Amino acid sequence: MDWRLKIGTNSFSEDTLLVYFKELTKKCKSSTLWSHYSMLKSTLNLKHNMNIESYAKVRALLKRQSEGYQPKKSKAFTGDEIYKFITEAPDTKYLATKVALIMGVMGACRSNELYEMKTKDLQFFEGCINVSVPITKTKVPRNFTVTGDFYNIVKKYSELRPSDVSSSFFLNFQNGKCTKQVIGINKFGRMGKEIAEFLKLPDPVKYTGHCLRRSSATLYADGGANMTALKRHGGWKSASVAEGYIADSKKNKMDAANKILHQINPNSISISNANSCPSTYADGVSNFTIDNFAITNKTSDVNINTTKTPPTIHFNNCHNLTINFINK
């Protein structure tokens, strides 16, 4: 509105907004331009009954400015890094951070969702905790479950909370005790950096408050989650964000490479894993038999007929792999 007064116009026409956004391109990056556009679209529609979504020239300008733009994204933790922090960081100092990490990764939670988490949102059962996330950015409530060793950690923290405090679940934790002070949203935003510094990872400042949610989506995609499951897990309405995680999945890329390799050379079988999960081979099957070689895991057996000369087998980053040599 100030800009309109400055240039002496009362118009909200497409040409007027085109000039306005052309000036903004000189000082704003692509993501900021789209933020301005989104705010203007909502405000002008509400206060002036103007629908600028139909302004094709303006949208075309913004799309041109987006070409080649690479947004900065928070780094994500690997499964090994999460496990190392959970097992090696002392509880006397990092227990609250561990619980936030568990909630963030298991439920793909944002910093504000952790901040808004209440004690009533957690239901404790024998061996598991059901957690509700009623307040979300996309207005889509979510639920997730905490089990295994994570269950014991969250339960330990819950039992240390004073009973005569507010309903907020996350309370400040110092010297092995919970205080009555609620953990603020900015502290949740710094926890990723705190974890990275403990693990001595490079560029800890790049582990922002969004790193827990990104870590969750990345691990789930690497575990083989499809589009529907990933959207439900993160509460995304749009498929574009979920598509990004699936497209960047190391497991999916490795599976594609192995399938291509298998078509070029059927006797060359690559058994790989991108994220410390049980081993798989070209077609994603853990158990198979090759002549006198029996490579087993926990899924159904698959027999592959080959020549009598054993094929070349490549193992990359495989864990918990059992190889049985059978003399037939």
Side-chain angles (χ1 to χ4, degrees):
M1 301 301 290
D2 291 339
W3 178 84
R4 287 168 67 248
L5 292 175
K6 180 180 177 180
I7 66 170
T9 181
N10 292 322
S11 173
F12 292 114
S13 68
E14 183 173 13
D15 290 338
T16 301
L17 265 72
L18 197 60
V19 174
Y20 172 71
F21 278 104
K22 281 182 178 179
E23 290 190 11
L24 284 182
T25 58
K26 299 176 182 179
K27 58 181 179 180
C28 298
K29 58 185 180 180
S30 175
S31 58
T32 306
L33 292 176
W34 280 108
S35 296
H36 277 286
Y37 173 79
S38 179
M39 290 186 288
L40 274 176
K41 182 178 67 173
S42 299
T43 307
L44 292 179
N45 188 33
L46 178 66
K47 295 184 176 294
H48 301 277
N49 197 28
M50 294 290 302
N51 181 17
I52 67 171
E53 193 170 5
S54 60
Y55 291 175
K57 293 180 181 179
V58 174
R59 294 182 63 87
L61 172 67
L62 298 182
K63 289 180 179 179
R64 284 198 302 271
Q65 293 297 315
S66 299
E67 293 177 357
Y69 173 72
Q70 294 293 332
K72 293 182 180 179
K73 295 182 180 180
S74 171
K75 283 191 172 184
F77 294 112
T78 66
D80 288 339
E81 290 166 350
I82 293 172
Y83 181 78
K84 182 177 181 180
F85 179 78
I86 291 294
T87 55
E88 296 184 7
D91 285 354
T92 53
K93 181 178 180 180
Y94 293 102
L95 184 58
T97 306
K98 286 184 180 182
V99 176
L101 173 62
I102 290 169
M103 294 297 192
V105 171
M106 298 300 289
C109 293
R110 304 175 178 88
S111 294
N112 67 301
E113 292 170 353
L114 296 174
Y115 173 71
E116 296 288 348
M117 192 170 289
K118 310 296 182 184
T119 54
K120 65 180 181 180
D121 296 330
L122 281 72
Q123 290 182 303
F124 287 82
F125 299 98
E126 186 64 31
C128 73
I129 307 171
N130 288 341
V131 185
S132 300
V133 187
I135 302 175
T136 67
K137 179 181 178 180
T138 57
K139 307 297 189 296
V140 179
R142 305 194 310 277
N143 295 277
F144 64 93
T145 303
V146 177
T147 59
D149 294 336
F150 288 172
Y151 164 83
N152 297 325
I153 296 172
V154 176
K155 186 177 180 181
K156 177 182 178 179
Y157 175 79
S158 178
E159 291 174 347
L160 290 174
R161 295 178 71 264
S163 58
D164 57 336
V165 294
S166 65
S167 60
S168 296
F169 177 70
F170 282 100
L171 300 178
N172 191 39
F173 188 82
Q174 291 180 344
N175 301 322
K177 296 182 179 179
C178 279
T179 67
K180 294 185 178 181
Q181 181 182 3
V182 176
I183 295 179
I185 190 171
N186 292 329
K187 186 170 182 177
F188 283 114
R190 295 192 297 269
M191 284 184 177
K193 178 184 176 183
E194 181 183 11
I195 296 169
E197 288 176 342
F198 176 86
L199 297 173
K200 295 181 172 56
L201 300 178
D203 299 322
V205 71
K206 293 184 179 180
Y207 292 85
T208 66
H210 203 62
C211 72
L212 303 185
R213 182 169 168 84
R214 281 190 57 80
S215 301
S216 178
T218 302
L219 291 170
Y220 199 24
D222 283 341
N226 58 27
M227 178 71 67
T228 303
L230 193 57
K231 285 176 64 178
R232 185 185 302 115
H233 177 66
W236 290 294
K237 293 182 179 180
S238 170
S240 60
V241 177
E243 284 176 350
Y245 287 110
I246 292 177
D248 293 337
S249 169
K250 294 180 181 178
K251 178 183 180 299
N252 288 342
K253 290 180 179 179
M254 189 67 71
D255 287 345
N258 288 339
K259 289 178 180 178
I260 295 172
L261 174 64
H262 187 61
Q263 292 301 315
I264 297 172
N265 182 8
N267 289 336
S268 180
I269 298 177
S270 178
I271 303 175
S272 307
N273 184 278
N275 217 11
S276 303
C277 295
S279 311
T280 58
Y281 83 115
D283 292 324
V285 181
S286 296
N287 289 353
F288 57 93
T289 302
I290 305 177
D291 286 344
N292 293 336
F293 291 79
I295 302 176
T296 62
N297 208 307
K298 295 183 179 180
T299 58
S300 59
D301 292 335
V302 174
N303 295 321
I304 299 178
N305 296 322
T306 67
T307 63
K308 292 185 178 181
T309 302
T312 302
I313 305 174
H314 304 281
F315 296 88
N316 300 314
N317 298 325
C318 295
H319 298 264
N320 301 324
L321 180 68
T322 301
I323 304 176
N324 299 319
F325 294 90
I326 303 172
N327 185 15
K328 293 184 179 179

